[in-house]
């Protein structure tokens, strides 16, 4: 680490060093660039430090009152002393120690039947067992309980649990510890790919309970896995060998495949005043993050920025005389709007009216609302986008965008187009380089949804192009738009068991709209099964019509006709 001591005064630094040497820093651990510990003072305080790749301290947090008031406390200093010592210790680790660790790891294989399997299995129960750090005697006792059938497996399911943050696939096992005189005590174990997330035991006198570490202040595990929960894991081993459930498809990937599978089924089924001054209004646009806003200028010759559109509409309706700049005064009662400007004014007036109605409605219903009167800008969305696009379609109004040098004036041009989309497919493997599936990363133009069409912006240095595309033209990508983040990015995993769905259902649809990289990699395609196709054969005699259905899978043909289930046939 770099010189972190400069962030503390001498007194705090001295107290932190004393805390460290007294062994008050407990359960020191780290994940990526975050370090966590519990530091014992008058009570136990949770402390977090974020350390950048260059060794600089990026952020620190502590649950003590001193840190709550915005100060760097002695508990933070104690943590950083412990981190510094830990890093120095790791730097001098010898090759002999690393070799010993490898030998210890080989000795920690608990589920040997599972380790001997050569077929793909997503859940790594051995890695999960190693992370629990249970003694060998507990595992041996747990194995005896399973072999003597004192533990039974009642149910096991897979599913996604959102409260794990990244919606990982969970294997949920439920069983019972059997004793005389009752139906047994409930035992549960929930595992993700390579760790036990939670374990619960209701055996009388045991009450084993365990929760895996999470994020932030939940960075520590709670409780311990008991012998009954470990015994249930031995029964889970047999289930994994027999059924090999799950793969690396995450919840987002599952949702996307579900949408496109439904679309595939649907598409498959469909195959088969003359003296008045002329007053002008000019729009001026501003590119925002993922959107567009419009403001206006007004004038009879020289144009002036309207700073308050709500006030402007009131002045126009009353026919006020208003000062612009230092010397110009415009009498709105003596002006008539130019034809296009009249349409702009109708647009502004409608926006003001709708905003005021929303504010009035919220006040009537006693809702707390952040709604305010429209001032200089109108953020465009929905019907507003459709209307403003039709007004400026053949014009090139002023537009501004933000660059590294600040605001830059360009012009806005309208065009028809289709959003640009790219996809990158890469190999997904576990720590042992076992192929788990693919990681998919998509980049999609940020779009603004109108009522009649979809819009997006393209930056061409000296101009901004506002592109319009019919909703039907990108209908196949709307599910991706709905799931993408504010930057138009979306990432998800597809496990090897779902590769066929991805390649034969989703990918052909995406290729209509964008480019794909990495999907043809041999490291991936070798695991892709051939696409299943179906052939139907009809035959008829005097009274009956019969049908045979055959599935063609690569070079193999399988008869999948259900015989005898529909009576003699149908006519």
């Amino acid at each position: 680490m770099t010189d972190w001591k400069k962030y503390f005064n001498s007194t705090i630094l001295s107290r932190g060093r004393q805390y460290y040497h007294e062994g008050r820093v407990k359960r020191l651990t780290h994940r990526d660039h975050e370090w966590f510990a519990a530091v014992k003072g008058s009570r136990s305080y949770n402390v977090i430090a974020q350390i950048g790749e260059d060794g600089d301290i990026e952020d620190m947090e502590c649950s003590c009152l001193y840190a709550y008031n915005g100060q760097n406390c002695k508990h933070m200093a104690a943590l950083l002393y412990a981190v510094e010592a830990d890093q120095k210790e790791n730097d001098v680790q010898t090759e002999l120690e690393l070799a010993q660790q490898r030998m210890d790891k080989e000795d920690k294989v608990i589920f040997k039947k599972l380790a001997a399997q050569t077929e793909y299995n997503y859940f790594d129960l051995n890695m999960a067992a190693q992370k629990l750090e249970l003694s060998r005697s507990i595992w041996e006792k747990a194995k005896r309980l399973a072999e003597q059938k004192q533990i039974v497996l009642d149910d096991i399911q897979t599913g996604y649990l959102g409260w794990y943050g990244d919606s990982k696939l969970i294997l949920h096992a439920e069983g019972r510890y059997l004793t005389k005189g009752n139906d047994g005590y409930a035992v549960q174990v929930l595992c993700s790919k390579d760790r036990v997330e939670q374990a619960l035991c209701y055996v009388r006198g045991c009450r084993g309970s365990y929760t895996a570490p999470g994020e932030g202040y939940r960075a520590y595990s709670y409780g311990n896995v008991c012998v009954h929960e470990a015994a249930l894991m031995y029964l889970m081993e047999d289930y994994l060998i027999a059924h090999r459930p799950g793969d690396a498809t995450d919840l987002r990937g599952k949702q996307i495949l579900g949408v496109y599978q439904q679309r595939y089924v649907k598409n498959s089924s469909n195959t088969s005043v003359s003296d008045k001054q002329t007053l002008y209004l000019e729009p001026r646009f501003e590119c925002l993050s993922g959107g567009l806003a419009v403001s206006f200028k007004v004038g009879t010759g020289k144009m002036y920025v309207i700073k308050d559109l709500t006030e402007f509409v009131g002045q126009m309706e009353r026919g006020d005389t208003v000062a612009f700049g230092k010397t110009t005064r415009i009498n709105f009662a003596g002006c008539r709007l130019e034809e296009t400007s009249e349409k702009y004014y109708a647009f502004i007036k409608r926006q003001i009216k709708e905003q005021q109605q929303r504010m009035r409605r919220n006040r009537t219903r006693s809702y707390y609302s952040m709604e305010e009167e429209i001032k200089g800008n109108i953020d465009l969305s929905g019907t507003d986008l459709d209307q403003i696009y039709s007004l400026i379609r053949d014009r090139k109004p002023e537009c501004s965008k933000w660059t590294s040098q600040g605001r830059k004036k360009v012009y806005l041009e309208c065009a028809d187009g289709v959003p640009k989309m790219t996809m990158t497919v890469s190999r997904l493997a576990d720590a042992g380089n076992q192929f788990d599936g693919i990681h998919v990363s998509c980049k999609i133009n940020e779009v603004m949804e109108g009522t009649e069409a979809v819009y997006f912006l393209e930056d061409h240095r000296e101009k901004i192009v506002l592109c319009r595309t019919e909703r039907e033209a990108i209908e196949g990508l709307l599910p991706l738009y709905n799931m993408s983040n504010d930057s138009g990015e979306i990432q998800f995993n597809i496990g090897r068991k779902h590769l066929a769905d991805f390649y034969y259902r989703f990918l052909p649809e995406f290729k209509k709209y964008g480019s794909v990289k990495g999907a043809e990699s041999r490291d991936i395609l070798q695991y892709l099964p051939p696409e299943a196709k179906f052939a139907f054969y009809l035959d008829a005699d005097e009274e009956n019509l019969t049908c045979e259905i055959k599935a063609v899978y690569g070079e193999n043909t399988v008869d999948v006709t259900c015989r005898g289930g529909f009576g003699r046939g149908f006519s």
Side-chain angles (χ1 to χ4, degrees), residues 252 441-444 480 483-491:
R252 181 64 56 81
S441 176
C442 300
K443 177 66 177 176
I444 306 173
L480 288 181
M483 296 179 186
S484 62
N485 60 24
D486 293 339
S487 301
E489 297 175 345
I490 181 170
Q491 299 187 35

Side-chain angles (χ1 to χ4, degrees), residues 281-563:
L281 283 170
E282 288 182 359
R284 51 202 294 268
F285 293 87
E286 181 181 0
C287 293
L288 305 174
S289 177
L292 197 64
V294 63
S295 57
F296 290 87
K297 290 181 177 180
V298 65
T300 56
K302 184 179 179 180
M303 305 301 289
Y304 298 90
V305 174
I306 303 174
K307 297 181 179 179
D308 191 325
L309 291 170
T310 301
E311 184 180 22
F312 168 72
V313 170
Q315 293 165 345
M316 285 285 291
E317 296 301 302
R318 293 189 300 267
D320 292 350
T321 299
V322 181
F324 290 92
K326 295 182 178 180
T327 58
T328 303
R329 296 175 66 84
I330 300 177
N331 178 12
F332 289 141
C335 295
R336 61 179 178 84
L337 285 164
E338 176 263 343
E339 182 179 0
T340 302
S341 299
E342 192 170 359
K343 296 177 181 177
Y344 289 141
Y345 179 68
F347 172 82
I348 298 170
K349 189 176 178 181
R350 184 167 51 250
Q351 297 297 314
I352 302 300
K353 181 179 179 181
E354 291 176 355
Q355 180 72 348
Q356 290 176 340
Q357 287 175 342
R358 284 193 294 269
M359 293 171 62
R360 192 179 304 115
R361 227 172 11 246
N362 289 337
R363 285 195 299 267
T364 301
R365 298 174 182 176
S366 299
Y367 289 166
Y368 174 77
S369 174
M370 297 295 292
E371 298 275 4
E372 296 179 350
E373 288 187 340
I374 293 175
K375 297 295 183 181
N377 292 332
I378 299 173
D379 294 331
L380 298 174
S381 63
T383 305
D384 311 338
L385 266 171
D386 300 323
Q387 293 172 350
I388 206 73
Y389 185 88
S390 64
L391 291 174
I392 65 170
R393 177 67 189 260
D394 299 320
R395 301 172 183 270
K396 294 182 178 181
E398 176 187 329
C399 183
S400 63
K401 66 177 183 177
W402 288 96
T403 67
S404 57
Q405 284 77 39
R407 187 191 295 267
K408 180 180 180 181
K409 286 187 178 181
V410 292
Y411 67 90
L412 187 72
E413 185 177 277
C414 295
D416 293 324
V418 177
K420 295 179 181 178
M421 305 163 200
T422 59
M423 174 188 290
T424 303
V425 178
S426 58
R427 188 175 186 269
L428 184 67
D430 61 13
N433 202 33
Q434 176 182 241
F435 179 74
D436 270 347
I438 55 174
H439 176 73
V440 184
S441 176
C442 300
K443 177 66 177 176
I444 306 173
N445 277 99
E446 298 178 66
V447 297
M448 303 168 286
E449 292 204 37
T451 303
E452 300 173 358
V454 176
Y455 303 86
F456 62 96
L457 298 173
E458 288 186 349
D459 190 344
H460 294 261
R461 290 192 176 183
E462 300 305 320
K463 67 178 179 180
I464 298 293
V465 180
L466 176 60
C467 297
R468 181 184 189 274
T469 183
E470 296 296 331
R471 189 176 299 272
E472 293 77 12
I474 59 168
E475 183 181 6
L477 287 175
L478 289 179
L480 288 181
Y481 281 121
N482 295 332
M483 296 179 186
S484 62
N485 60 24
D486 293 339
S487 301
E489 297 175 345
I490 181 170
Q491 299 187 35
F492 54 92
N493 296 335
I494 301 296
R496 59 191 287 173
K497 293 183 181 179
H498 287 82
L499 283 181
D501 293 330
F502 177 83
Y503 273 86
Y504 301 136
R505 302 291 181 264
F506 170 76
L507 201 57
E509 187 84 12
F510 184 92
K511 286 182 177 179
K512 297 177 184 177
Y513 309 100
S515 60
V516 180
K517 298 179 180 179
E520 304 301 322
S521 170
R522 292 182 180 179
D523 289 343
I524 298 174
L525 293 182
Q526 63 178 313
Y527 298 99
L528 178 65
E531 184 176 11
K533 298 180 180 179
F534 293 90
F536 297 84
Y537 301 91
L538 297 177
D539 194 8
D541 56 21
E542 294 180 356
E543 297 181 358
N544 296 320
L545 176 65
T546 59
C547 173
E548 287 187 357
I549 308 172
K550 295 186 178 181
V552 181
Y553 193 77
E555 298 179 354
N556 300 316
T557 301
V558 181
D559 188 347
V560 294
T561 307
C562 180
R563 302 183 184 278

